[in-house]
Amino acid sequence: MIFSNQREMWLNSFWKALCLRIKWLGEGFKRQSTEVLERELEEMENGFALLTFGALVGLPTLPTYMGLRLLPYLEREILVMFIKSERLDDKLAEWADLADL
Amino acid sequence: MKNIFFFLGKGGVGKTTLSASLAYYLSKHNKKTYWASIDPAHNICDVIGCPAFLGAKEIERDLLAEEVDVERYLKQFLKETTAQMKRVYSYFQIINLDDMFEVIKNAPGMEESAMMHALKDIISRHRDMDHLIIDTPPTGLMLKIFTLPFITNIWLERIKMWRHKILDKRATIVAIRGKDYLGKGIVTDASKDKVLNEISVQKAAVDFLIKIFTDTQRSCFILVLNPDRLSLMEGMHIKKALSAMNIHIGLILVNKFGLTPLASTEEFYDMPMKKVPFLKVLDKERLYQLADSWAEDIIKD
């Protein structure tokens, strides 16, 4: 009887541990899959901000008037652009980050 | 029937004079006419001989004239943008944005944009008029104003496409990682995105102008020239630049005809051309008579 209970408890904890690991594995895959998407998104948001406000750095952009029209709604994109431009002089670190080193 | 007339040409060729003659002609034929100048150096008042006025003024029966105050459109736009910035970014409440916008007001392209919007506003506000006559600034500025909707349209098409891609990507990430993963208030739905909404509003405005400019049934571009070679050469440049945007010149008026010998006009062989004699004195009656030889044809076309 005691032996049977112990076996059941062991099985329970084994299943729990297994489920947890599978969950972690799933989470890991999720994170890995979205990491690439998040980077792509950042690049696109950076590009969008550069298209809109690139005049600041001498890029051909849409007319100033239109840029000003969109300015109030582009807080996130502008922040991404600033962060990206801060890292421009450290491409090696960014590459290492990208390669998960 | 054509009901919007744009007068174009080199500075000093007589755009305002001939637009005035068409305005008087139409009002004399009991057509409700709106005559507006978008040239920052207006001279409607000088032509009709009255003191400067603000807004629209009835100068004849069925004839309203306006020297469009572009500065007012610019100020209005900056005021709206400032208010919107302060609403969205609370920290701007303590910074004086008004000073910053004084600088932005003079940024390249701002004046042309304000004129483009003024033009759109005038055309859409006076749909009830039988005819609209627009006196434009000299070539350089005029071409910038007429090119702007086409260029802006290309940009807006591109950034609209780009924005949709951003929203799609955000939606995918949020679907995998949860609602607030990218941060609170980050929009993933195209119908709720204020950027896309603003792009659509601006695109509607430029589409409206492009449609008006390229509608040969409704709009007529009248190129005013003088008989001298320089004026004709500039006319050729205008013709080429407008053709590139699919804008066609409906009539060429050679103003001040007889003052100097007429240079070669073979470049304009494919366009209707009328010669308008040089008049020393311009009063209302003479202005009316000036349009008598050509106005009827362009309205009926």
Side-chain angles (χ1 to χ4, degrees):
Chain A
M1 190 68 184
I2 295 164
F3 179 74
S4 167
N5 273 346
Q6 274 181 338
R7 195 170 158 231
E8 206 171 300
M9 278 167 65
W10 182 83
L11 269 175
N12 268 343
S13 57
F14 172 78
W15 281 120
K16 270 184 192 166
L18 189 67
C19 286
L20 201 65
R21 269 155 187 81
I22 289 171
K23 205 178 159 189
W24 284 350
L25 208 63
E27 282 295 319
F29 281 134
K30 259 190 193 178
R31 203 176 60 229
Q32 265 196 335
S33 63
T34 56
E35 258 174 17
V36 178
L37 287 176
E38 283 167 46
R39 277 185 204 288
E40 277 178 10
L41 177 65
E42 273 179 15
E43 288 303 334
M44 290 177 83
E45 286 173 333
N46 179 37
F48 193 85
L50 282 172
L51 270 182
T52 324
F53 307 109
L56 299 171
V57 286
L59 288 174
T61 57
L62 82 163
T64 318
Y65 181 91
M66 294 296 157
L68 280 172
R69 278 273 178 205
L70 298 175
L71 182 63
Y73 314 114
L74 290 174
E75 188 179 21
R76 180 183 156 89
E77 285 76 1
I78 294 167
L79 279 174
V80 171
M81 180 174 68
F82 285 159
I83 293 165
K84 287 267 168 196
S85 45
E86 267 172 15
R87 288 185 196 160
L88 274 179
D89 58 349
D90 201 3
K91 289 310 277 182
L92 189 66
E94 191 160 335
W95 179 80
D97 186 27
L98 194 71
D100 215 7
L101 294 174
Chain B
M1 187 176 75
K2 288 184 170 54
N3 66 352
I4 306 175
F5 302 99
F6 298 94
F7 282 81
L8 328 165
K10 194 175 182 295
V13 288
K15 296 183 291 295
T16 312
T17 308
L18 295 182
S19 66
S21 69
L22 181 63
Y24 280 117
Y25 177 90
L26 292 170
S27 95
K28 206 156 186 171
H29 285 77
N30 302 319
K31 300 283 184 194
K32 278 168 73 185
T33 306
Y34 200 90
W35 173 33
S37 163
I38 54 165
D39 186 351
H42 304 289
N43 49 5
I44 282 185
C45 287
D46 304 331
V47 171
I48 61 175
C50 78
F53 55 89
L54 276 175
K57 183 184 175 183
E58 187 163 37
I59 54 168
E60 283 289 311
R61 194 169 60 88
D62 290 331
L63 176 58
L64 284 165
E66 183 181 1
E67 292 187 330
V68 179
D69 183 6
V70 177
E71 180 96 6
R72 185 175 64 85
Y73 281 91
L74 206 51
K75 275 185 184 157
Q76 174 72 18
F77 159 69
L78 293 174
K79 206 175 142 189
E80 278 171 22
T81 310
T82 312
Q84 186 62 15
M85 290 287 284
K86 282 182 176 171
R87 263 198 299 276
V88 178
Y89 308 116
S90 52
Y91 45 86
F92 276 140
Q93 299 288 350
I94 50 161
I95 300 171
N96 188 5
L97 275 179
D98 301 334
D99 289 347
M100 197 175 89
F101 280 115
E102 269 304 306
V103 178
I104 294 172
K105 196 178 86 178
N106 296 310
M110 286 303 284
E111 194 182 22
E112 291 91 312
S113 297
M115 282 181 178
M116 181 181 85
H117 282 268
L119 196 55
K120 193 240 159 201
D121 187 44
I122 292 164
I123 298 171
S124 50
R125 259 194 306 124
H126 299 102
R127 283 175 181 169
D128 57 327
M129 292 281 166
D130 294 323
H131 297 285
L132 254 171
I133 299 170
I134 314 284
D135 184 24
T136 67
T139 313
L141 188 53
M142 176 275 292
L143 283 179
K144 278 185 189 169
I145 299 167
F146 286 106
T147 316
L148 198 56
F150 294 88
I151 291 176
T152 309
N153 191 38
I154 295 169
W155 276 110
L156 290 176
E157 289 272 358
R158 297 285 190 282
I159 63 167
K160 189 180 170 187
M161 205 170 70
W162 198 302
R163 191 70 190 169
H164 274 293
K165 282 184 183 173
I166 287 176
L167 293 176
D168 285 349
K169 202 130 278 181
R170 279 185 187 171
T172 311
I173 295 169
V174 165
I176 299 169
R177 306 300 302 262
K179 197 180 148 208
D180 290 330
Y181 179 74
L182 289 172
K184 279 214 158 147
I186 296 296
V187 182
T188 55
D189 184 356
S191 64
K192 289 178 187 157
D193 187 41
K194 286 181 178 168
V195 176
L196 263 185
N197 181 47
E198 189 59 44
I199 292 172
S200 303
V201 170
Q202 296 304 321
K203 191 154 170 16
V206 294
D207 282 345
F208 173 83
L209 283 174
I210 292 172
K211 207 173 160 196
I212 293 283
F213 294 166
T214 52
D215 184 353
T216 49
Q217 298 296 313
R218 208 179 151 195
S219 309
C220 182
F221 283 78
I222 301 169
L223 177 59
V224 183
L225 306 172
N226 285 164
D228 64 288
R229 197 174 62 88
L230 278 181
S231 163
L232 287 161
M233 281 173 74
E234 190 157 318
M236 273 165 47
H237 293 310
I238 295 174
K239 182 189 162 192
K240 259 190 207 166
L242 293 184
S243 304
M245 292 176 282
N246 211 17
I247 297 176
H248 300 289
I249 291 165
L251 176 70
I252 293 173
L253 293 176
V254 184
N255 191 29
K256 301 177 190 171
F257 185 70
L259 195 63
T260 51
L262 180 62
S264 169
T265 56
E266 61 189 28
E267 291 290 338
F268 302 106
Y269 70 92
D270 54 344
M271 291 172 183
M273 183 183 281
K274 297 272 180 184
K275 289 158 187 154
V276 184
F278 173 69
L279 295 178
K280 271 187 185 169
V281 183
L282 285 171
D283 53 26
K284 205 166 37 175
E285 197 49 41
R286 285 193 181 95
L287 280 173
Y288 166 74
Q289 282 168 7
L290 266 187
D292 210 21
S293 60
W294 51 270
E296 201 176 339
D297 295 343
I298 54 162
I299 295 159
K300 274 185 187 166
D301 267 354

